[in-house]
Amino acid sequence: MQIKKSNIYIEKENCFLRNIKEKDVYGNWWKWFNDPDVTAYMNKGQIKNTIQKQLEFYKKVAESKNDLVFAICNRKNGQHIGTIGLHDINLKKESAQFGIVIGEKNFWGKGIGSVAWRMMINYGFSDLRLTIIDTTIFAKNIASIKIAKKGGFQTIKLLKNDVEKNGKMYDRVYMVLNQNNWKKYYKI
């Protein structure tokens, strides 16, 4: 089985997921990663982003056989407000790593991240037939840890001083959801 990358569209409640497009690069997508609030819990730290760097990232994931990245869009007007993805997809091991960012801060706290999270997890288990999805979250990112736990992700271990960012070491939490627990927490 191969990862289908074209013409994917998933809609629910207040948002929809669609394939990222090159035109997204020229909107606000690249600007999000220059905002210290948006990048507070991202590994990359505060590194100046440009349209060119974002274009390179877009091309990399668009051509990747192991990454599937969607645009999270506001259902009311189609505005691209974040990205969500499954990375390091291994269809033989039936596993992937999950990641999400809501870049448009005026959409924070409105439940869109939670809805998009559920849609992506459902897609991974039902469409890609994964048996395990994991994620690594900064220990201080209480909101994401709460969403993960509410969705059945179990904490496997605390990774002490796991990542260096902006000259400081940070702890992260490694969490896993397996297919058996998925159906208990997610409507399919």
Side-chain angles (χ1 to χ4, degrees):
M1 181 163 93
Q2 278 191 309
I3 299 169
K4 180 183 173 186
K5 288 197 150 192
S6 60
N7 300 321
I8 298 172
Y9 179 89
I10 308 166
E11 183 175 6
K12 191 158 183 89
E13 297 174 36
N14 53 3
C15 67
F16 63 88
L17 307 181
R18 63 160 171 79
N19 298 84
I20 55 169
K21 301 174 183 174
E22 186 172 338
K23 73 174 190 163
D24 295 326
V25 171
Y26 302 99
N28 288 338
W29 188 18
W30 71 275
K31 295 176 186 175
W32 301 338
F33 304 108
N34 289 322
D35 185 328
D37 293 334
V38 173
T39 61
Y41 300 119
M42 296 178 70
N43 296 352
K44 66 166 64 181
Q46 192 61 37
I47 300 171
K48 183 162 175 49
N49 198 27
T50 63
I51 290 175
Q52 185 59 39
K53 285 182 183 179
Q54 199 65 37
L55 184 60
E56 289 169 13
F57 173 79
Y58 163 76
K59 288 178 180 178
K60 177 183 164 193
V61 296
E63 295 170 6
S64 171
K65 294 180 181 177
N66 302 318
D67 296 288
L68 189 58
V69 179
F70 294 145
I72 303 170
C73 299
N74 178 10
R75 190 171 173 187
K76 287 182 183 177
N77 62 11
Q79 180 185 1
H80 178 203
I81 62 170
T83 55
I84 193 164
L86 293 171
H87 303 279
D88 298 324
I89 299 169
N90 186 323
L91 295 178
K92 286 184 182 178
K93 292 184 179 180
E94 300 173 336
S95 65
Q97 293 179 330
F98 172 81
I100 183 172
V101 61
I102 303 294
E104 296 293 334
K105 294 192 296 189
N106 56 325
F107 287 93
W108 289 6
K110 299 194 184 309
I112 290 177
S114 296
V115 172
W117 185 302
R118 288 193 311 269
M119 289 192 290
M120 192 76 218
I121 297 301
N122 282 340
Y123 183 82
F125 285 124
S126 64
D127 292 69
L128 296 180
R129 307 225 187 278
L130 301 175
T131 58
I132 192 164
I133 297 175
D134 64 33
T135 189
T136 308
I137 302 170
F138 276 74
K140 291 183 178 185
N141 189 347
I142 304 303
S144 288
I145 291 171
K146 184 177 176 182
I147 293 170
K149 285 182 177 179
K150 187 176 179 182
F153 277 78
Q154 296 184 352
T155 300
I156 301 302
K157 63 182 168 181
L158 175 65
L159 305 168
K160 298 289 283 175
N161 296 316
D162 181 52
V163 66
E164 182 181 353
K165 178 179 162 176
N166 300 331
K168 294 181 182 178
M169 297 302 294
Y170 291 89
D171 298 344
R172 294 191 304 167
V173 179
Y174 177 66
M175 304 179 81
V176 172
L177 178 64
N178 66 47
Q179 187 180 40
N180 296 331
N181 287 337
W182 158 60
K183 291 179 183 178
K184 293 178 193 175
Y185 293 93
Y186 294 83
K187 292 180 183 179
I188 52 173

